[in-house]
Each structure stands twice: as C-alpha cells, then as structure tokens.
Amino acid sequence: MAQATPVNPVVKPYGDEAYLAVREFFRYDSTLPLQARVVSGEDRGSYTLEKFVFTSSGRSRVPGLLAFPKGDRKKFPCMILIHSGTGKKEDWWSDQGWVRGQAFVAKLLQAGYAVVAIDAEGHGERPASVDFVPLTGMAYESKETYGITRLLVQTTIDHLRLVDYLRSKP
C-alpha cells in the first residue's frame, strides 16, 4: 500500500540565515508616535464607519476605514481587509468593480466583527508616494522592480502600524 502524502507539509522556503536577512527589511520603529486621529464618522444603520489616519514609518500618512457593529460591546474581534492590485480601501464598501466587497463586509459586521482597511502605499489616497506613476505602468510597462519591492515592503510595514493603531484604541 502506498504511503499517503501529508496534506499540509511544513515548507521551509529558505534557511534561518536568509529568513533573518529578509526580516530586516520589515523592521520599523514601533515607538514612533502614531499621530492618529479619526477624520470622520458616519452612521450606516447597523454599524458605524470611521475614517482615520495615522503616521507610518518614513512619516507618511496612512488613511483607513474602520467599521464596527452598533451595540453595547466595547471590543470586537477585528478583520484586516487588504485590497489587491490597483485597488483601494473603499473597494470593501462598494458593490461596484470586481471586488464587490460590501456583501463580505456586511456578513462580517453581522457576525459581530469589526473590519478595517487601509490604502496600501501608492494606492487610493496615496498616489504621491509613487510620484503619481500609475501602478500598472510601474509594474508592467517600466518594470520597476525596485519600486514595486519598496512598495510591497512599505505596505507590509503600514499594516504592522495598523495593528499598532488598533491596539491603541480603547
């Protein structure tokens, strides 16, 4: 009888030394002030939607949207939603376009989750960070490998700062 292959084998793409080297790209100073503020709040019937902004590493300002169900609870488990490609945070609150995220967000809110999304580096309200170069042009036309790598690293750091922001909220 043939031996079954494990369903989820542990895959280690590179060794410890390479991992430690790559990890350095994602280090940031978590003691930098977030300088966070809620820009606006909106009653959406069964939930509240807040637009906020905080400072990431490199002093860039990161805008985001946080929705949480109405009710007596003070704390909610929170799902971080990450847009793809050339998307933006608002895609999660829209039924237009290919994402059509509103239905997904509505189900999460109904289940008692808060949801949050930020604009990734160079996306949505942050085009200045890539000198207003369209991302499709950067990726496919000029093939700016360094620019794309920088964008992905900064976006990862921005999401780590988002977790810092969420932890700072009462």
Side-chain angles (χ1 to χ4, degrees):
M1 178 180 251
Q3 189 172 9
T5 304
V7 175
N8 292 318
V10 175
V11 178
K12 195 169 186 180
Y14 41 78
D16 292 339
E17 187 176 338
Y19 168 77
L20 293 173
V22 169
R23 187 177 71 175
E24 288 303 309
F25 286 105
F26 302 98
R27 285 205 186 276
Y28 70 99
D29 185 355
S30 63
T31 65
L32 288 173
L34 281 167
Q35 299 174 317
R37 69 183 174 91
V38 174
V39 176
S40 63
E42 183 181 333
D43 183 330
R44 294 263 179 118
S46 63
Y47 68 95
T48 300
L49 181 65
E50 290 182 351
K51 181 174 183 181
F52 63 90
V53 63
F54 64 84
T55 301
S56 187
S57 65
R59 311 226 186 261
S60 65
R61 298 292 280 165
V62 180
L65 294 172
L66 171 64
F68 48 92
K70 287 186 178 174
D72 296 334
R73 290 176 57 189
K74 300 288 184 199
K75 292 188 176 194
F76 301 93
C78 187
M79 298 291 289
I80 297 174
L81 306 176
I82 301 173
H83 64 75
S84 63
T86 57
K88 58 189 180 299
K89 65 188 175 305
E90 289 85 3
D91 291 345
W92 293 105
W93 281 266
S94 172
D95 279 331
Q96 304 301 310
W98 73 274
V99 174
R100 293 184 178 93
Q102 179 60 43
F104 181 62
V105 166
K107 289 201 180 292
L108 288 170
L109 289 164
Q110 288 168 2
Y113 286 88
V115 292
V116 65
I118 61 173
D119 279 328
E121 175 86 353
H123 293 72
E125 294 182 284
R126 301 178 67 191
S129 66
V130 292
D131 198 23
F132 299 92
V133 173
L135 295 171
T136 52
M138 182 187 292
Y140 303 112
E141 294 164 19
S142 59
K143 296 184 173 79
E144 292 186 39
T145 305
Y146 175 75
I148 295 294
T149 301
R150 185 192 62 76
L151 186 142
L152 293 173
V153 168
Q154 186 60 51
T155 295
T156 302
I157 293 170
D158 293 344
H159 279 90
L160 293 170
R161 289 290 280 177
L162 172 61
V163 172
D164 294 342
Y165 170 71
L166 293 171
R167 286 183 176 151
S168 77
K169 293 190 67 65

